[in-house]
Amino acid sequence: MGKAKWMYGKGTQGRIGNNSYYLRKGMQMIRQTGSNYTGSTSTAALIQQLIFSVLSAWATTSFPGIKLGLLPHDVWDTARTRFMSLNSGIVTVTDLESKAVEVDFPSLVCAEGRLVPPDAEVTFDEEAQSLAFTLAAQDPGIDCNEDDTIHALILSAGKRNRCLLKTLGTRGDGGMTSVSVPKYLDGELHVYVFATTADGKMASDSIYLPLA
């Protein structure tokens, strides 16, 4: 597990077809030109357009998690624009004609910040369709608070991409938490954990957890 392929951007700036994509004060902007503009139909432009589309779709799918983990740096920043920027290199187009792409899920970033990441493992019981998370209790310190909340973001990559966000507990408690996998998560599962402060104003980097 790790990478997945689809038949369905890396770049978030430039002209694609009748649209111009650019960043202004950290915000993704799109300017539409007149219908008579021919635009670029080069292979590079079409690849960029496909990558942008795939990243945008995953930003939408994972939004319940990234709105907690990718906190804005300023009033112009959003979780979505940060997701697009941080994950610009995870999509590879393997066949442009059929719009086949490969996503490097272990490299996907759904949270980023100065907090210490959680210490966690996960196992998947396929028969019971449940995930068992084991959290190691962490001693408090700089950017590591006992009452930090530990979150799990579960992405399902399939015919319809889905996500599930679960709170696993607090950093100081540790222990095991079982999460039932609903039937609508019927694709390949990818699991990430990250921490936020109790007030939600700070986050840690996200950690990809391989399924044991």
Side-chain angles (χ1 to χ4, degrees):
M1 300 182 73
K3 294 185 178 181
K5 298 180 180 180
W6 283 274
M7 310 297 294
Y8 281 77
K10 182 175 179 175
T12 58
Q13 301 183 67
R15 190 184 297 276
I16 301 173
N18 291 338
N19 297 326
S20 294
Y21 298 88
Y22 61 98
L23 296 174
R24 186 176 70 187
K25 295 183 178 180
M27 181 175 291
Q28 180 70 53
M29 309 296 291
I30 302 175
R31 178 185 293 120
Q32 190 171 50
T33 61
S35 59
N36 292 330
Y37 172 70
T38 58
S40 174
T41 57
S42 68
T43 298
L46 293 174
I47 289 175
Q48 184 184 40
Q49 184 180 33
L50 180 55
I51 291 173
F52 187 93
S53 175
V54 173
L55 282 177
S56 181
W58 277 111
T60 299
T61 298
S62 59
F63 188 75
I66 67 174
K67 72 177 181 180
L68 300 179
L70 297 178
L71 301 172
H73 289 153
D74 55 51
V75 296
W76 301 104
D77 206 4
T78 68
R80 186 180 183 86
T81 56
R82 291 198 65 199
F83 180 92
M84 299 288 285
S85 176
L86 290 167
N87 293 296
S88 61
I90 69 169
V91 180
T92 301
V93 176
T94 56
D95 187 84
L96 182 57
E97 184 176 355
S98 63
K99 297 184 178 180
V101 302
E102 185 176 88
V103 178
D104 183 8
F105 283 101
S107 298
L108 184 148
V109 176
C110 60
E112 184 191 52
R114 60 184 292 177
L115 287 184
V116 174
D119 184 355
E121 295 179 348
V122 65
T123 58
F124 179 50
D125 187 330
E126 188 170 359
E127 184 177 352
Q129 286 295 292
S130 66
L131 294 164
F133 291 88
T134 302
L135 300 178
Q138 295 171 288
D139 295 330
I142 297 175
D143 298 325
C144 184
N145 312 296
E146 285 187 335
D147 62 349
D148 289 342
T149 303
I150 309 301
H151 308 274
L153 180 66
I154 305 160
L155 299 182
S156 172
K159 185 176 181 180
R160 290 188 180 276
N161 299 327
R162 308 281 192 183
C163 90
L164 178 67
L165 179 68
K166 285 290 185 179
T167 299
L168 301 180
T170 57
R171 190 193 297 274
D173 292 337
M176 181 176 289
T177 302
S178 181
V179 175
S180 296
V181 178
K183 290 183 178 180
Y184 63 80
L185 297 185
D186 56 359
E188 184 179 28
L189 298 180
H190 301 279
V191 181
Y192 308 82
V193 292
F194 61 95
T196 60
T197 51
D199 60 9
K201 293 183 178 181
M202 293 176 60
S204 74
D205 290 347
S206 55
I207 303 295
Y208 180 83
L209 298 182
L211 296 180

